[in-house]
Amino acid sequence: MKSIDGMRIIGIIGYPLGHSLSPLMHNRAFEHLGLHYQYTLFPVKEEELGHAIRGIRALNIVGCNVTIPYKEQVIPFLDYLAPGAKTLGAVNTIVNKDGELWGYNTDGIGFYRSLTEELGTDVQGKKALLIGAGGAARAVAHALLEAGLQELVIANRNLDNGKRLANELEKRGYQVQVVELKEEILRKFLMQMDFLINSSSVGMYPQIEAGLPIKQEWLRPPLILCDLIYNPVKTKLLQMGEAQGCQILNGVGMLVYQGAAAFELWTGQEAPVEIMKKSVLEFLAEES
Ligand code: NAP
């Protein structure tokens, strides 16, 4: 059995935690590099959130990830926010720097690194149709616009939620259009887009047959299709795009790269992204 003497602790705080892939991905990476760290689950009830965050400092824990439903609620308990987390008002990574708790958000950079490194493309001067307006959509929208995306159209089931995200982006000086998630509207916009990005939960396990109001024949190269969902690794949307000859990108890369960015903040070492990705893909293959 591995000795736990001197083991440094990292974890993920959320509730309920369900099937988080982060412990597997990070522990595999620590083992690969021979680092004496252990990543564990911290399912924390809402009334205990403040105690749990202060406990990071008290117990000298290296840091943690934060997931649903606490990405916004943890902020009052932190000492400093990195600029990205401040802009989003959401934290997915906490780093304990000599007793000072810093909040970061690595979701947007995770998606962007996945896009640029896995597809070898960038978004400078390009146009994207983003489906969804939840937490993941916010991180992705900010990251893409910061990276020079020229035009962003947000399509969301609940138009008010879409408008709220658009208002937030417009306050930062970006021009964004919001449309309803309807067939005839999506058809019209898809003809003009470079990227279609699904950041809604439509098509996610176990509802893998749920579909967006998009017909396969509307998906034509050079349109690039991205789906933030990683389970299944190839959603119905990505299958349709692939059958049409479009380049496709699933959510595994975003999961891995947001984790890699957190790993680097905690350890100061370059994350072994290929090892992390392999652990996630092996797990998902066993699950299906
Ligand atoms: P969220 O904040 O709950 O937002 C969910 C979004 O999906 C909202 O825009 C919601 O629209 C939309 N939606 C839900 N059910 C729908 C339906 N039946 N028809 C149309 N739209 C529907 O969730 P989130 O955290 O943004 O996550 C969204 C997806 O991204 C999930 O599949 C999650 O697994 C994935 N994700 C992946 C990563 C990664 O690392 N790859 C990271 C984060 C999230 P309304 O506003 O109308 O409710």
Side-chain angles (χ1 to χ4, degrees):
M1 204 169 88
K2 197 161 60 173
S3 157
I4 59 164
D5 288 351
M7 189 70 87
R8 307 223 50 207
I9 303 297
I10 298 177
I12 179 164
I13 292 182
Y15 199 84
L17 277 173
H19 301 290
S20 172
L21 292 178
S22 294
L24 171 72
M25 181 168 80
H26 285 289
N27 285 328
R28 208 53 89 66
F30 296 141
E31 246 169 63
H32 177 77
L33 294 180
L35 297 176
H36 225 47
Y37 287 80
Q38 180 76 37
Y39 189 109
T40 188
L41 298 175
F42 292 126
V44 173
K45 295 217 173 114
E46 189 170 358
E47 60 274 21
E48 300 292 349
L49 184 64
H51 294 301
I53 302 297
R54 284 187 282 268
I56 296 172
R57 189 187 292 115
L59 298 170
N60 196 22
I61 286 169
V62 177
C64 61
N65 280 133
V66 181
T67 189
I68 291 168
Y70 301 135
K71 288 186 177 183
E72 289 153 26
Q73 288 179 56
V74 292
I75 290 177
F77 304 109
L78 303 178
D79 300 308
Y80 299 99
L81 287 185
K86 196 178 249 175
T87 303
L88 286 174
V91 162
N92 79 334
T93 302
I94 298 175
V95 183
N96 178 3
K97 299 187 188 180
D98 298 324
E100 285 178 344
L101 301 185
W102 284 71
Y104 294 82
N105 197 307
T106 66
D107 284 333
I109 188 71
F111 176 73
Y112 194 67
R113 262 189 85 182
S114 163
L115 187 82
T116 51
E117 300 199 12
E118 295 185 18
L119 294 183
T121 184
D122 68 17
V123 297
Q124 190 79 39
K126 305 224 173 100
K127 300 174 186 180
L129 174 61
L130 179 68
I131 297 179
R138 278 181 73 218
V140 166
H142 279 275
L144 293 179
L145 289 164
E146 268 165 29
L149 187 77
Q150 186 193 345
E151 191 178 323
L152 180 66
V153 179
I154 296 170
N156 198 47
R157 175 180 61 178
N158 177 322
L159 203 57
D160 286 340
N161 290 345
K163 283 182 184 158
R164 206 166 302 128
L165 174 56
N167 284 341
E168 186 186 307
L169 293 164
E170 276 163 8
K171 276 192 199 139
R172 297 196 58 220
Y174 300 117
Q175 279 295 317
V176 178
Q177 202 172 341
V178 184
V179 299
E180 283 180 280
L181 192 62
K182 294 225 164 104
E183 251 191 36
E184 64 277 18
I185 298 174
L186 296 186
R187 180 183 198 167
K188 178 182 139 212
F189 279 99
L190 272 177
M191 287 194 283
Q192 313 156 24
M193 293 292 142
D194 299 295
F195 296 95
L196 167 62
I197 303 165
N198 178 37
S199 66
S200 81
S201 42
V202 177
M204 187 170 76
Y205 179 84
Q207 265 96 42
I208 59 172
E209 285 307 319
L212 290 161
I214 291 175
K215 292 212 162 62
Q216 181 166 321
E217 58 268 29
W218 304 345
L219 307 172
R220 294 203 192 111
L223 180 70
I224 296 176
L225 264 79
C226 309
D227 201 321
L228 271 50
I229 293 171
Y230 53 81
N231 189 8
V233 287
K234 209 178 279 174
T235 57
K236 201 169 152 187
L237 177 71
L238 292 188
Q239 287 176 31
M240 292 196 317
E242 191 176 54
Q244 293 290 102
C246 295
Q247 266 192 297
I248 60 169
L249 180 73
N250 65 21
V252 171
M254 176 174 176
L255 175 71
V256 169
Y257 283 111
Q258 64 74 31
F263 182 101
E264 287 165 12
L265 287 165
W266 293 320
T267 65
Q269 298 214 29
E270 191 178 334
V273 284
E274 289 310 320
I275 297 289
M276 294 166 83
K277 190 182 290 172
K278 191 163 169 266
S279 69
V280 169
L281 288 174
E282 278 171 5
F283 179 86
L284 293 171
E286 271 171 33
E287 283 284 282
S288 63

